[in-house]
Amino acid sequence: MIEGERPELRELRDRLERGSDAQRPEAVARRKKKGFRTARENLADLLGAGAFVEYGAQAVAAQRQRRDYEELQRETLGDGVITGVGEVNGEYFSADERRTALVVYDYSVLAGTQGFFHHAKIDRLLSIAARQSLPVIMYTEGGGGRPGDTDVTTQIAGLNVDTFASWASLNTGMPRIVVNNGYCFAGNAALFGAGDIRIATRASNIGMAGPAMIEGGGLGSFRPDEIGPADTQWRNGVIDILVDNEADATAMARRVLWYFQGDVSPGAAQDQTPLREALPEDRRWGYPVRDVIERLFDADSFTELRRVFGRSVVTGLARLDGRAVGVLASDCQQLGGAVDSEASDKASRFLNLCNRTGLPVISLVDTPGFMVGPDSESEAAVHRMSALFESAASLKVPVLAVFLRKAYGLGAMALVGGSFAVPHFAAAWPTGEFGGMGLEGAVRLGFRKELEAVNDPGDRQQLFDKLLAELYDKGKALEAAAHLEIDAVIDPADTRDQLIHALYRQSK
């Protein structure tokens, strides 16, 4: 108590303190026992020294008819979620650039479930984010919809809330970043899944239904930790970035947002000379494309998304001379770089993200094309690969293509916007090779009669090698450039400088 303080100010101070961790020792102890942080701790870590204006802090669960109001203030203050506008990454950006809409679910309040006022708070914040074109960071831990809000007498099912539609349709030109730790079920999982960039800890369980709903549907009895474990959701692409704990997740949320808040001072450029030897002399051998990426872009600026899903394509965020870009690259160490159905889904979603947020796309291509065959078709290849073309053809942001080696067929076209004519700059390394399909397949298909006419296996192989070499000479990078199918053939060591100069700024 402050001597001489007016009673209404004292009442306000007392009410605010009830929501603090210091006034809730039992709830805090339960979190600590699990090895987890409180919602307020995650929020403070995210903000650092940045300011925060909280919205709806005085809300309580809509249960005044069944619980004492003092108890509701003590046990449900905030109604299970913290909402507000705060400053994130203030050390890098101006006051306007660091403003971020923040939604932090509080599992210590009614298990982070979604009630009447809880939804109203989120709806209010999303409307502010839409009006002010703010990015959103949302921590999603919680158990989904909440029964028991008895004060709500004008609803039957309560399915006319705006939250899910508002969140899914939010398009401010900035990302929706979601972070999860612990249990995330039903409505909470729907919010997590609709995020643009999805970060989760290894302690996460994420599912469209929790144990009660599953058992109620007659589908069996399961423990919460058996539903949607993090390692499963990491492998199947639900999680974009997997981290060890909440501290790492919060640091990653700050880092990911950093790419979208504006330009920064040019990062350190590594020596580009080793790129001349990055590819093996034998065109049949693979190489680690991530080494190329790490050297090409600003030092320590690359963050990969969905690393273990759709592995023949690499997607991620990086900076090029201080400017944020999206990076799409073939990984020839996986399926020879062939774009399968999962890789198509991965690339499509990534291109949509870049398009919505205005990030230019740098595409590093080394692919024999789309994965083909009966097994591929059983994975809905026609639909999923065509969806990649739709995303690529919808791009409004600049696309710059560098053909590192193989660039064959529809798969190569899809990785650069749908056509080699789409990129604002299309260059190849001297190792580049081009064709309507893989050279080996083209020889077997186009010269089948000639090959079958040779009885001796050794002679047949010799003819095959001769025809293959002729096709390679016709389709190598210098010939493609001579026919103006690409813009240039460049020294690999000059790639970074060429991209910096070719990348232009597009007005929004």
Side-chain angles (χ1 to χ4, degrees):
M1 180 182 299
I2 300 175
E3 186 176 352
E5 184 177 41
R6 291 175 57 137
E8 61 268 23
L9 288 177
R10 187 181 310 123
E11 181 183 16
L12 170 61
R13 191 184 309 280
D14 290 344
R15 188 74 67 88
L16 291 173
E17 287 179 353
R18 291 178 186 179
S20 69
D21 288 348
Q23 295 297 315
R24 305 169 62 244
E26 293 181 0
V28 171
R30 288 193 294 269
R31 293 294 290 176
K32 299 302 182 184
K33 187 176 180 180
K34 292 182 177 181
F36 295 165
R37 303 203 295 191
T38 68
R40 295 282 174 185
E41 286 175 328
N42 280 324
L43 176 62
D45 188 16
L46 183 65
L47 294 168
F52 179 64
V53 177
E54 187 167 353
Y55 288 63
Q58 301 310 311
V60 299
Q63 299 178 8
R64 289 174 175 83
Q65 294 183 17
R66 60 189 287 248
R67 300 175 65 176
D68 178 74
Y69 189 40
E70 289 290 326
E71 178 193 2
L72 290 173
Q73 292 177 32
R74 185 174 60 254
E75 300 293 336
T76 74
L77 200 61
D79 203 19
V81 65
I82 304 167
T83 58
V85 176
E87 297 178 341
V88 182
N89 290 331
E91 64 270 37
Y92 299 106
F93 302 105
S94 68
D96 286 341
E97 291 170 327
R98 58 192 181 226
R99 283 172 53 80
T100 307
L102 303 174
V103 178
V104 184
Y105 271 78
D106 189 345
Y107 198 84
S108 70
V109 176
L110 300 172
T113 51
Q114 300 167 331
F116 180 81
F117 291 113
H118 176 113
H119 276 299
K121 287 177 64 173
I122 296 177
D123 293 346
R124 168 68 170 155
L125 195 72
L126 294 183
S127 72
I128 290 169
R131 288 199 300 251
Q132 299 182 18
S133 298
L134 300 179
V136 183
I137 297 177
M138 179 184 291
Y139 288 68
T140 59
E141 182 183 9
R146 178 200 310 156
D149 275 8
T150 52
D151 297 349
V152 185
T153 60
T154 59
Q155 292 183 352
I156 302 300
L159 302 181
N160 57 340
V161 298
D162 292 330
T163 307
F164 302 103
S166 296
W167 176 243
S169 63
L170 185 67
N171 186 359
T172 66
M174 297 294 280
R176 299 163 301 169
I177 300 167
V178 288
V179 179
N180 193 74
N181 175 71
Y183 299 140
C184 176
F185 297 135
N188 295 63
L191 295 176
F192 180 86
D196 293 315
I197 299 176
R198 304 182 293 232
I199 304 165
T201 69
R202 296 185 186 279
S204 292
N205 287 82
I206 305 167
M208 289 305 291
M213 188 179 296
I214 293 171
E215 187 169 4
L219 300 174
S221 179
F222 297 90
R223 300 188 313 271
D225 60 4
E226 294 179 298
I227 302 167
D231 59 346
T232 297
Q233 304 292 34
W234 174 229
R235 290 194 304 271
N236 66 20
V238 168
I239 296 171
D240 291 317
I241 302 174
L242 184 65
V243 296
D244 288 334
N245 52 50
E246 290 169 284
D248 291 343
T250 299
M252 185 57 70
R254 285 197 305 269
R255 178 177 173 87
V256 168
L257 179 61
W258 172 75
Y259 292 101
F260 300 92
Q261 291 175 289
D263 294 344
V264 298
S265 299
Q270 299 185 61
D271 179 14
Q272 300 294 295
T273 306
L275 290 179
R276 292 171 174 164
E277 306 298 327
L279 273 59
E281 292 187 13
D282 190 326
R283 58 184 291 275
R284 297 170 297 178
W285 291 4
Y287 57 90
V289 73
R290 290 175 183 83
D291 290 353
V292 175
I293 294 170
E294 293 287 353
R295 186 166 296 277
L296 188 59
F297 297 96
D298 294 3
D300 301 319
S301 76
F302 179 63
T303 299
E304 187 168 352
L305 305 177
R306 301 174 102 183
R307 177 163 184 149
V308 302
F309 175 78
R311 298 182 67 174
S312 62
V313 167
V314 175
T315 57
L317 308 170
R319 285 194 181 269
L320 182 64
D321 201 40
R323 185 176 178 188
V325 297
V327 179
L328 181 65
S330 304
D331 185 353
C332 64
Q333 292 184 316
Q334 305 291 332
L335 302 177
V339 183
D340 66 355
S341 291
E342 286 192 352
S344 296
D345 288 348
K346 176 179 178 178
S348 177
R349 181 168 175 265
F350 180 70
L351 292 179
N352 291 340
L353 168 66
C354 293
N355 207 35
R356 282 200 310 274
T357 57
L359 288 191
V361 176
I362 309 294
S363 184
L364 309 177
V365 181
D366 185 354
T367 180
F370 284 126
M371 177 61 71
V372 297
D375 289 343
S376 180
E377 300 307 338
S378 70
E379 297 175 351
V382 171
H383 164 65
R384 297 165 81 179
M385 294 172 184
S386 297
L388 173 55
F389 264 104
E390 291 179 351
S391 296
S394 299
L395 288 173
K396 304 299 183 184
V397 296
V399 180
L400 276 64
V402 180
F403 300 100
L404 306 182
R405 191 167 60 183
K406 295 183 176 69
Y408 291 114
L410 294 170
M413 295 165 66
L415 293 179
V416 297
S419 164
F420 285 13
V422 169
H424 298 278
F425 180 60
W429 285 4
T431 46
E433 51 185 84
F434 300 83
M437 62 185 298
L439 295 185
E440 287 80 1
V443 171
R444 293 189 180 95
L445 182 64
F447 297 91
R448 176 179 298 172
K449 290 184 177 180
E450 289 87 340
L451 291 169
E452 290 177 349
V454 180
N455 295 323
D456 182 76
D459 292 342
R460 189 184 309 118
Q461 182 63 46
Q462 188 175 14
L463 176 60
F464 178 86
D465 293 341
K466 175 178 177 293
L467 294 170
L468 181 65
E470 291 174 354
L471 277 189
Y472 174 76
D473 284 340
K474 291 179 181 178
K476 63 184 180 182
L478 287 172
E479 289 303 309
H483 287 77
L484 302 184
E485 292 192 9
I486 58 174
D487 296 312
V489 180
I490 60 176
D491 182 339
D494 294 336
T495 307
R496 176 182 167 88
D497 286 340
Q498 292 277 311
L499 291 175
I500 289 172
H501 291 301
L503 190 60
Y504 72 93
R505 299 198 176 276
Q506 186 174 24
S507 60
K508 291 186 178 181

